[in-house]
Amino acid sequence: MQPILRNKKTLVAAALLMSMSNASMAGSNPFTISAQAIADVKISEITPLSFGTKVDGNAGSTCTLLSLEPADDDVNADIDSDGVAADTIGTGNAGSNWDAISGNCKTGGEASGVYEVAGEQGMTFNITLAAVVDTDFTFTPDYGCYVIWGDDTGTTAGDDSCGYLSTGTVSGIEINATGADTDADVNPGLSRFTVGGVLSITNDLTPNTSYNPTFDIIVAYD
Amino acid sequence: MKNLFKKSLIVALLASATGAVADTGTYTFSFTTVPALTVTEQQAIDFGQALALSDAATCVMQVSASQTVAPSEDKANGVAQVGQAGTFQTGTCASSVDGTTGQYGRYLVTGLLNSSVDVTVTGDTAGAGEAIEFDAQGYVVEYNTIARDALADGVLTNVQLAGGADSTFTTPGTTYIILGGTVTNKRDLTLGEVVSAGYTIDVTYN
């Protein structure tokens, strides 16, 4: 009887060893996941914004800069970066609302701000602009324009259009993607926008003086 | 393996949340203020000893925008030909008992060259008991077109300050205002009484 009992014990032990062996094999099989980071969204300046050299610096003065209707074949104002002059944006020539100043300022040196955003093709992002309130003046970004790619509007090739950009956050702006923009597919991974606005003088400024304040533009993926 | 996989996911999410999915650009927006507009009196208005004594009498110093003077004479002191001796006083002015003929006013305006400027000259309304009231009249030189724009009391007149091309006649960024006008007695005056009235020249960029 004793040997039989001993044999049973061995069997039990063997079964335990098998179990341990199975566990060891599962642990030795590595699995991997793969992931790739999206391209950073980066903003850069193409043309600095300027209200020009003839702003009336008296309290109560206002100067408005319109940055709509950019020309499409101008390097600095090629809002959709496609180098095509046939787009509806300005149709190759700046419209009357491009670089147009009015109010208590005169023509001379004014320029719409033009900015470029680099990011992941086809992703949408948002732009946030806020008013700058200085002791002596206020700058309210307004009358800007961002590209709505032609394919997004469902219209014919080359029919990019201009979205309105003002103070606050505008979302759903698309970064150009290869094959998505039907008219050019130039510069995939980029988008451009313009910024104009209203400069309001709240306290008398020093005559014949240049001012170079700053403002922030925040871009983020939606 | 399950635990390890979960951990990996968390790491990936964290990387995404703290990565550069947003960017802030700080950029300049520039502007330059124009030079201040200034008005400097070069010669005060003086009617001389010419006013009639009675209440409500008027005396006019005629400074005409249509007077023919070569443009070069509008340069600085060249405007002296305006108001030729003895001819500019009309109305019920008394004869100039002291031999003077009065003197028109001349004012230099300076600002941004070629800029558009609004000029308004307004005589003060006489208060109770004041001797006289003055209504301004005259012109401002428009160097851009070599013309004289008439000024009437309280009426806005637009003029362009001289540009670089006008430097033959004057300094760029300047113009001249020439003023005469009408004095109205608000009460009887006494012989030899010296009286005065105020007025304002207002210049603003248009």
Side-chain angles (χ1 to χ4, degrees), chain A residues 31 33 41-44 49-55 106 139 206-217 219-221, chain B residues 1 5 8-9 12 19-36 112-113 115-116 205-206:
Chain A
F31 295 94
I33 60 159
V41 59
K42 297 290 291 181
I43 182 171
S44 59
L49 192 162
S50 176
F51 284 90
T53 58
K54 299 177 181 176
V55 173
K106 297 297 176 189
F139 167 53
T206 307
N208 214 16
T209 302
S210 292
Y211 290 81
N212 296 283
T214 60
F215 73 113
D216 286 345
I217 302 174
V219 293
Y221 285 126
Chain B
M1 284 302 296
F5 189 57
S8 294
L9 264 183
V21 293
D23 190 22
T24 299
T26 300
Y27 302 111
T28 60
F29 61 99
S30 61
F31 59 94
T32 302
T33 51
V34 293
L112 178 69
L113 75 165
S115 61
S116 176
Y205 286 112
N206 178 313

Side-chain angles (χ1 to χ4, degrees), chain A residues 1 9 29 33 48-49 88 104 111 116 135 171 181 183 189 212:
Chain A
M1 289 298 287
K9 274 184 181 172
N29 282 334
I33 60 159
L49 192 162
T88 52
N104 303 107
E116 186 170 271
T135 309
S171 303
D181 180 34
D183 67 339
N212 296 283

